[in-house]
Amino acid sequence: MQTPAIIASVIAALLLFLLLYVYFGQLSPTSNELEQIREERSVLQSEIDELTEQNTELLDALKIELVEELYFETGSAHLSDENKQKLDGILNRLRGGRLETIRVVGHTDDQMIVPDFPRIYASNWELSVHRATQVVRYLENAGIAPERMGAAGLSKYYPTASNETTEGKAKNRRVEIFLMPERQ
């Protein structure tokens, strides 16, 4: 995302170097050479402006707003009363954004599925997806249009806290809800 800024900085530094070199008499460009430098600078500035505009459009398309995080017990996709209250608290916001796509993303800690759970979840992948779909179903039952929603599971691979502590693991067993501009 920083590419246009880096390119602009490099071009600006090169132009500054060239101008200083000329200013201190190391080069004596002719008027034709000065005009050529001005034209090249103008072309480069146009390219920088275009890259900046494209980058802004890309950032707008990727704009994501985090609405709420929901936490789960180990090995569970059960929506607790606390999670349901959090969802109820954002329902009006979700109903009002008719032009937004709702992405629900489930996560787990790095705890392997214990022998009792394989009957339910083969791995943390299935558990993270099930957490997300539980939220999507709850929102659908509350009146959110299903075509506005999507569910995904990212397993243990995007922790927000260290899995070395009990508290960290608890923070990683979560579902995130994102609002994104509707696809054009």
Side-chain angles (χ1 to χ4, degrees):
M1 297 288 176
Q2 299 288 334
T3 304
I6 293 170
I7 292 171
S9 297
V10 169
I11 291 171
L14 290 173
L15 288 173
L16 179 62
F17 174 78
L18 181 61
L19 289 173
L20 288 173
Y21 199 73
V22 169
Y23 180 77
F24 288 108
Q26 301 299 320
L27 288 176
S28 299
T30 65
S31 59
N32 287 342
E33 290 173 325
L34 281 175
E35 184 59 34
Q36 183 179 0
I37 290 171
R38 286 187 188 108
E39 287 175 12
E40 289 175 6
R41 182 182 184 278
S42 177
V43 168
L44 290 173
Q45 186 61 51
S46 295
E47 290 176 6
I48 290 170
D49 293 343
E50 184 179 332
L51 284 172
T52 302
E53 184 177 321
Q54 290 172 355
N55 192 43
T56 301
E57 289 172 9
L58 181 61
L59 287 175
D60 288 344
L62 295 176
K63 181 182 177 190
I64 298 174
E65 176 186 345
L66 178 62
V67 177
E68 188 65 74
E69 287 188 77
L70 310 174
Y71 298 99
F72 292 81
E73 295 298 321
T74 302
S76 173
H78 173 74
L79 278 177
S80 67
D81 289 339
E82 181 184 352
N83 283 341
K84 289 177 184 177
Q85 286 177 350
K86 286 181 179 181
L87 290 170
D88 290 342
I90 62 171
L91 277 174
N92 285 337
R93 170 64 180 96
L94 296 177
R95 285 185 186 121
R98 301 216 182 272
L99 297 179
E100 294 168 326
T101 301
I102 301 166
R103 291 289 174 251
V104 181
V105 181
H107 300 269
T108 66
D109 57 25
D110 66 348
Q111 191 74 32
M112 293 184 61
I113 299 295
V114 293
D116 292 342
F117 285 123
R119 294 184 310 246
I120 303 169
Y121 307 112
S123 72
N124 279 328
W125 286 106
E126 288 82 6
L127 175 57
S128 64
V129 170
H130 194 208
R131 286 176 175 166
T133 57
Q134 288 292 94
V135 171
V136 166
R137 285 188 181 139
Y138 186 86
L139 295 174
E140 182 178 8
N141 289 335
I144 304 297
E147 61 272 7
R148 289 183 54 215
M149 295 187 285
L154 297 178
S155 186
K156 63 183 179 180
Y157 297 103
Y158 294 89
T160 58
S162 170
N163 278 306
E164 299 299 317
T165 66
T166 302
E167 296 81 18
K169 286 180 186 277
K171 288 181 181 179
N172 292 330
R173 294 188 303 266
R174 70 194 190 282
V175 166
E176 299 169 308
I177 300 174
F178 297 93
L179 297 181
M180 304 170 67
E182 183 179 51
R183 287 178 263 146
Q184 301 298 323

PDB file of all heavy atoms in Angstrom, residues 18 20-30 33 37:
ATOM      1  N   LEU A  18      19.568  16.122  -8.735  1.00  0.00           N
ATOM      2  CA  LEU A  18      19.871  16.681 -10.042  1.00  0.00           C
ATOM      3  C   LEU A  18      19.859  18.207  -9.992  1.00  0.00           C
ATOM      4  O   LEU A  18      20.764  18.862 -10.516  1.00  0.00           O
ATOM      5  CB  LEU A  18      18.863  16.169 -11.075  1.00  0.00           C
ATOM      6  CG  LEU A  18      19.067  16.662 -12.507  1.00  0.00           C
ATOM      7  CD1 LEU A  18      20.431  16.217 -13.037  1.00  0.00           C
ATOM      8  CD2 LEU A  18      17.968  16.143 -13.404  1.00  0.00           C
ATOM      9  N   LEU A  20      20.361  20.177  -7.342  1.00  0.00           N
ATOM     10  CA  LEU A  20      21.518  20.630  -6.566  1.00  0.00           C
ATOM     11  C   LEU A  20      22.804  20.522  -7.379  1.00  0.00           C
ATOM     12  O   LEU A  20      23.671  21.395  -7.321  1.00  0.00           O
ATOM     13  CB  LEU A  20      21.635  19.831  -5.265  1.00  0.00           C
ATOM     14  CG  LEU A  20      20.590  20.127  -4.201  1.00  0.00           C
ATOM     15  CD1 LEU A  20      20.730  19.149  -3.047  1.00  0.00           C
ATOM     16  CD2 LEU A  20      20.708  21.557  -3.714  1.00  0.00           C
ATOM     17  N   TYR A  21      22.905  19.456  -8.114  1.00  0.00           N
ATOM     18  CA  TYR A  21      24.082  19.245  -8.959  1.00  0.00           C
ATOM     19  C   TYR A  21      24.197  20.358  -9.985  1.00  0.00           C
ATOM     20  O   TYR A  21      25.259  20.915 -10.213  1.00  0.00           O
ATOM     21  CB  TYR A  21      23.961  17.870  -9.628  1.00  0.00           C
ATOM     22  CG  TYR A  21      25.266  17.316 -10.147  1.00  0.00           C
ATOM     23  CD1 TYR A  21      26.235  16.844  -9.266  1.00  0.00           C
ATOM     24  CD2 TYR A  21      25.514  17.255 -11.509  1.00  0.00           C
ATOM     25  CE1 TYR A  21      27.426  16.334  -9.735  1.00  0.00           C
ATOM     26  CE2 TYR A  21      26.703  16.738 -11.988  1.00  0.00           C
ATOM     27  CZ  TYR A  21      27.658  16.281 -11.093  1.00  0.00           C
ATOM     28  OH  TYR A  21      28.830  15.781 -11.560  1.00  0.00           O
ATOM     29  N   VAL A  22      23.072  20.698 -10.589  1.00  0.00           N
ATOM     30  CA  VAL A  22      23.047  21.776 -11.573  1.00  0.00           C
ATOM     31  C   VAL A  22      23.321  23.111 -10.887  1.00  0.00           C
ATOM     32  O   VAL A  22      24.103  23.933 -11.358  1.00  0.00           O
ATOM     33  CB  VAL A  22      21.681  21.802 -12.303  1.00  0.00           C
ATOM     34  CG1 VAL A  22      21.533  23.063 -13.129  1.00  0.00           C
ATOM     35  CG2 VAL A  22      21.537  20.577 -13.171  1.00  0.00           C
ATOM     36  N   TYR A  23      22.688  23.356  -9.750  1.00  0.00           N
ATOM     37  CA  TYR A  23      22.801  24.631  -9.038  1.00  0.00           C
ATOM     38  C   TYR A  23      24.234  24.943  -8.641  1.00  0.00           C
ATOM     39  O   TYR A  23      24.693  26.073  -8.730  1.00  0.00           O
ATOM     40  CB  TYR A  23      21.908  24.616  -7.805  1.00  0.00           C
ATOM     41  CG  TYR A  23      21.973  25.893  -7.009  1.00  0.00           C
ATOM     42  CD1 TYR A  23      21.305  27.034  -7.435  1.00  0.00           C
ATOM     43  CD2 TYR A  23      22.719  25.967  -5.840  1.00  0.00           C
ATOM     44  CE1 TYR A  23      21.371  28.217  -6.714  1.00  0.00           C
ATOM     45  CE2 TYR A  23      22.793  27.132  -5.121  1.00  0.00           C
ATOM     46  CZ  TYR A  23      22.123  28.270  -5.559  1.00  0.00           C
ATOM     47  OH  TYR A  23      22.193  29.422  -4.842  1.00  0.00           O
ATOM     48  N   PHE A  24      24.966  23.948  -8.181  1.00  0.00           N
ATOM     49  CA  PHE A  24      26.333  24.185  -7.726  1.00  0.00           C
ATOM     50  C   PHE A  24      27.352  24.133  -8.869  1.00  0.00           C
ATOM     51  O   PHE A  24      28.548  24.044  -8.642  1.00  0.00           O
ATOM     52  CB  PHE A  24      26.704  23.202  -6.613  1.00  0.00           C
ATOM     53  CG  PHE A  24      26.011  23.515  -5.324  1.00  0.00           C
ATOM     54  CD1 PHE A  24      24.997  22.704  -4.859  1.00  0.00           C
ATOM     55  CD2 PHE A  24      26.363  24.643  -4.585  1.00  0.00           C
ATOM     56  CE1 PHE A  24      24.345  23.001  -3.677  1.00  0.00           C
ATOM     57  CE2 PHE A  24      25.720  24.942  -3.405  1.00  0.00           C
ATOM     58  CZ  PHE A  24      24.702  24.124  -2.950  1.00  0.00           C
ATOM     59  N   GLY A  25      26.870  24.181 -10.093  1.00  0.00           N
ATOM     60  CA  GLY A  25      27.747  24.364 -11.241  1.00  0.00           C
ATOM     61  C   GLY A  25      28.436  23.124 -11.736  1.00  0.00           C
ATOM     62  O   GLY A  25      29.327  23.218 -12.570  1.00  0.00           O
ATOM     63  N   GLN A  26      28.056  21.980 -11.243  1.00  0.00           N
ATOM     64  CA  GLN A  26      28.707  20.763 -11.705  1.00  0.00           C
ATOM     65  C   GLN A  26      28.243  20.412 -13.116  1.00  0.00           C
ATOM     66  O   GLN A  26      28.951  19.751 -13.839  1.00  0.00           O
ATOM     67  CB  GLN A  26      28.396  19.597 -10.748  1.00  0.00           C
ATOM     68  CG  GLN A  26      28.843  19.832  -9.334  1.00  0.00           C
ATOM     69  CD  GLN A  26      30.346  20.035  -9.236  1.00  0.00           C
ATOM     70  OE1 GLN A  26      31.106  19.354  -9.905  1.00  0.00           O
ATOM     71  NE2 GLN A  26      30.776  20.990  -8.421  1.00  0.00           N
ATOM     72  N   LEU A  27      27.083  20.861 -13.452  1.00  0.00           N
ATOM     73  CA  LEU A  27      26.555  20.677 -14.798  1.00  0.00           C
ATOM     74  C   LEU A  27      26.107  22.047 -15.302  1.00  0.00           C
ATOM     75  O   LEU A  27      25.621  22.861 -14.531  1.00  0.00           O
ATOM     76  CB  LEU A  27      25.339  19.750 -14.799  1.00  0.00           C
ATOM     77  CG  LEU A  27      25.563  18.274 -14.554  1.00  0.00           C
ATOM     78  CD1 LEU A  27      24.218  17.567 -14.511  1.00  0.00           C
ATOM     79  CD2 LEU A  27      26.404  17.661 -15.656  1.00  0.00           C
ATOM     80  N   SER A  28      26.221  22.253 -16.506  1.00  0.00           N
ATOM     81  CA  SER A  28      25.710  23.491 -17.099  1.00  0.00           C
ATOM     82  C   SER A  28      24.768  23.100 -18.221  1.00  0.00           C
ATOM     83  O   SER A  28      25.155  23.059 -19.382  1.00  0.00           O
ATOM     84  CB  SER A  28      26.844  24.349 -17.645  1.00  0.00           C
ATOM     85  OG  SER A  28      27.719  24.702 -16.609  1.00  0.00           O
ATOM     86  N   PRO A  29      23.528  22.767 -17.850  1.00  0.00           N
ATOM     87  CA  PRO A  29      22.620  22.305 -18.896  1.00  0.00           C
ATOM     88  C   PRO A  29      22.242  23.448 -19.836  1.00  0.00           C
ATOM     89  O   PRO A  29      22.164  24.609 -19.434  1.00  0.00           O
ATOM     90  CB  PRO A  29      21.411  21.810 -18.112  1.00  0.00           C
ATOM     91  CG  PRO A  29      21.453  22.539 -16.831  1.00  0.00           C
ATOM     92  CD  PRO A  29      22.892  22.800 -16.548  1.00  0.00           C
ATOM     93  N   THR A  30      22.025  23.067 -21.040  1.00  0.00           N
ATOM     94  CA  THR A  30      21.555  24.042 -22.017  1.00  0.00           C
ATOM     95  C   THR A  30      20.080  24.282 -21.777  1.00  0.00           C
ATOM     96  O   THR A  30      19.420  23.561 -21.018  1.00  0.00           O
ATOM     97  CB  THR A  30      21.765  23.500 -23.444  1.00  0.00           C
ATOM     98  OG1 THR A  30      20.938  22.352 -23.606  1.00  0.00           O
ATOM     99  CG2 THR A  30      23.224  23.134 -23.701  1.00  0.00           C
ATOM    100  N   GLU A  33      18.189  21.211 -22.582  1.00  0.00           N
ATOM    101  CA  GLU A  33      18.287  20.196 -21.531  1.00  0.00           C
ATOM    102  C   GLU A  33      17.400  20.551 -20.335  1.00  0.00           C
ATOM    103  O   GLU A  33      16.747  19.684 -19.759  1.00  0.00           O
ATOM    104  CB  GLU A  33      19.739  20.029 -21.079  1.00  0.00           C
ATOM    105  CG  GLU A  33      20.614  19.382 -22.129  1.00  0.00           C
ATOM    106  CD  GLU A  33      22.083  19.372 -21.756  1.00  0.00           C
ATOM    107  OE1 GLU A  33      22.546  20.341 -21.117  1.00  0.00           O
ATOM    108  OE2 GLU A  33      22.755  18.387 -22.104  1.00  0.00           O
ATOM    109  N   ILE A  37      14.359  18.381 -18.856  1.00  0.00           N
ATOM    110  CA  ILE A  37      14.239  18.028 -17.436  1.00  0.00           C
ATOM    111  C   ILE A  37      12.860  18.409 -16.919  1.00  0.00           C
ATOM    112  O   ILE A  37      12.209  17.645 -16.204  1.00  0.00           O
ATOM    113  CB  ILE A  37      15.360  18.709 -16.607  1.00  0.00           C
ATOM    114  CG1 ILE A  37      16.709  18.072 -16.943  1.00  0.00           C
ATOM    115  CG2 ILE A  37      15.062  18.606 -15.107  1.00  0.00           C
ATOM    116  CD1 ILE A  37      17.903  18.815 -16.349  1.00  0.00           C
TER     117      ILE A  37
END
